[in-house]
Amino acid sequence: MQELKLAELEQKGFLDIDIDPTLDLFEEIDRLKKAKNAVILAHYYQEPDIQDVADFIGDSLGLAQQAARTEADIIVFAGVHFMAETAKILNPNKKVLLPDLKAGCSLSDSCPPELFSAFKEKHPDHLVISYINCSAGIKALSDIICTSSNAQLIVESLPKDQQIIFAPDKNLGGYINRKSGRNMVLWNGACMVHEIFSLEKITKLKQRHPEAKLIAHPECEEAVLRIADFIGSTTQLLKFTETDDATMFIVATETGILHSMQQNSRNKTFIAAPPDNACACNNCPHMKLNTLEKLYLCMKYEQPEILMEEELRLAAKKPIERMLALSKQLGLGG
Ligand code: 13P
Ligand code: SF4
């Protein structure tokens, strides 16, 4: 079984492999972690059980920084494909596993490398800053990578007259344009989770709870950001809820973050901002493809593994390393 390759696993229905129902998956995962010298990195949007077994929970910047410094032999990335890919780009000699290889990202998918390459050719004097939520192919076409934690600082660290293309998120790019007074050319991409919030329902909720603060991720649309009391990456939102005096928050980002918010501030109330759909669901369907069972199976069989061509890896590594070095210089950890 140990030697099963991904194709075989898929063919056999990897997800259908029976797990002994008497197994304590928390214990088993912990045992495998020690036995294999593995580290579990989890994004805040993962389900609570996964966050609870993770060695490190973070936003995209924190996770990339952890991936760059880990001494583990195996990195288990409980997140989406572009995150695990980033870990592999930084650690070619380590095994990088993703519990479900189909955990993609609508934002990353909105920017295919062939189309972006043609777009870039139309703006030959522009520097390309890409949000980390993109494929290795887009990273390879970029000069600097950024995350929602450092995007504004990275943009502002460049000369005012430097022309810039920002990809793939038009909402984050627009937000940075408004904050920095720049006029970056924006790729027309967006995240399906952050575009779904209903301004009307949020406004009504605010009226019902005037004491609550609205906090929003910069991937949200401009109309939501305009009425937000605080805007930041997932880690920045979490820290804000810990330090701000308010005791009630309306949270406009993926619902997974509410687990850490509630754990870190037990006496505060967190309300998921209402989306504009009938099922009132603002979970990321990609992030939520990972489950504790899939995490256990992937650690047991060391599959599915992220693999990449060396030429692409080297090209994608440069702008990520530039971001990590700039983040350090700008005092954002490292
Ligand atoms: P951050 O992790 O930078 O907050 O981004 C959120 C996100 O959408 C990740 O997919
Ligand atoms: Fe992509 Fe949005 Fe899901 Fe993040 S929340 S992984 S940006 S689809």
Side-chain angles (χ1 to χ4, degrees), residues 33-334:
K33 223 166 28 177
K34 289 181 188 124
K36 299 188 181 216
N37 187 26
V39 67
I40 302 176
L41 307 181
H43 192 272
Y44 286 117
Y45 296 165
Q46 292 295 288
E47 64 171 52
D49 280 352
I50 294 183
Q51 293 191 38
D52 291 344
V53 293
D55 297 288
F56 182 84
I57 315 169
D59 66 359
S60 305
L61 177 63
L63 293 171
Q65 287 168 330
Q66 285 294 325
R69 74 166 77 104
T70 184
E71 290 188 352
D73 295 316
I74 298 180
I75 300 172
V76 186
F77 216 114
V80 290
H81 193 271
F82 74 80
M83 297 178 174
E85 208 174 45
T86 303
K88 184 67 185 175
I89 290 166
L90 294 168
N91 294 284
N93 301 321
K94 294 185 196 293
K95 198 172 248 187
V96 178
L97 306 173
L98 180 64
D100 191 323
L101 210 50
K102 294 190 207 80
C105 167
S106 65
L107 179 53
S108 174
D109 291 348
S110 69
C111 193
E114 320 75 60
L115 293 183
F116 186 68
S117 181
F119 180 75
K120 192 180 150 177
E121 272 170 31
K122 287 194 194 133
H123 303 91
D125 302 327
H126 290 55
L127 200 90
V128 177
I129 302 185
S130 293
Y131 188 33
I132 199 163
N133 300 32
C134 63
S135 64
I138 294 296
K139 290 185 174 81
L141 293 167
S142 306
D143 296 293
I144 314 177
I145 296 303
C146 71
T147 74
S148 53
S149 284
N150 58 21
Q152 191 181 339
L153 286 176
I154 286 184
V155 169
E156 287 175 346
S157 74
L158 299 171
K160 270 239 167 249
D161 57 354
Q162 173 64 58
Q163 301 194 82
I164 299 169
I165 293 176
F166 189 90
D169 189 7
K170 64 175 178 196
N171 292 319
L172 176 61
Y175 170 67
I176 307 290
N177 270 346
R178 293 192 293 283
K179 292 287 282 185
S180 64
R182 309 248 173 168
N183 189 22
M184 299 188 293
V185 177
L186 308 179
W187 178 263
N188 188 21
C191 157
M192 61 188 286
V193 178
H194 289 91
E195 279 221 314
I196 211 168
F197 295 110
S198 159
L199 184 63
E200 196 188 327
K201 289 184 195 167
I202 292 177
T203 307
K204 281 189 186 145
L205 198 58
K206 268 177 81 102
Q207 282 163 358
R208 226 180 304 141
H209 300 286
E211 74 283 23
K213 283 196 175 159
L214 172 66
I215 58 174
H217 195 281
E219 285 175 27
C220 293
E221 289 179 321
E222 183 178 349
V224 171
L225 296 180
R226 284 206 185 276
I227 59 162
D229 297 293
F230 180 76
I231 297 165
S233 73
T234 40
T235 298
Q236 290 162 348
L237 295 179
L238 179 63
K239 287 206 174 120
F240 182 76
T241 59
E242 288 165 18
T243 53
D244 193 74
D245 290 341
T247 54
M248 187 181 279
F249 298 90
I250 301 167
V251 185
T253 188
E254 212 268 356
T255 46
I257 186 73
L258 268 69
H259 178 63
S260 289
M261 286 179 174
Q262 198 66 78
Q263 270 192 336
N264 296 2
S265 305
R266 296 204 182 263
N267 297 325
K268 297 188 179 181
T269 305
F270 299 96
I271 307 172
D276 207 2
N277 60 11
C279 72
C281 158
N282 46 4
N283 286 329
C284 171
H286 309 288
M287 286 276 182
K288 297 303 197 260
L289 278 178
N290 295 324
T291 59
L292 196 66
E293 287 74 15
K294 289 183 202 173
L295 181 70
Y296 161 70
L297 289 173
C298 109
M299 291 183 76
K300 184 171 177 188
Y301 298 114
E302 301 183 18
Q303 292 277 353
E305 183 182 359
I306 302 287
L307 299 168
M308 201 180 306
E309 278 176 25
E310 186 60 3
E311 201 182 328
L312 176 62
R313 188 188 73 79
L314 289 173
K317 187 169 151 230
K318 267 196 216 156
I320 300 175
E321 285 187 330
R322 217 166 152 195
M323 170 188 81
L324 293 173
L326 267 171
S327 295
K328 212 172 195 173
Q329 269 173 35
L330 298 166
L332 296 169

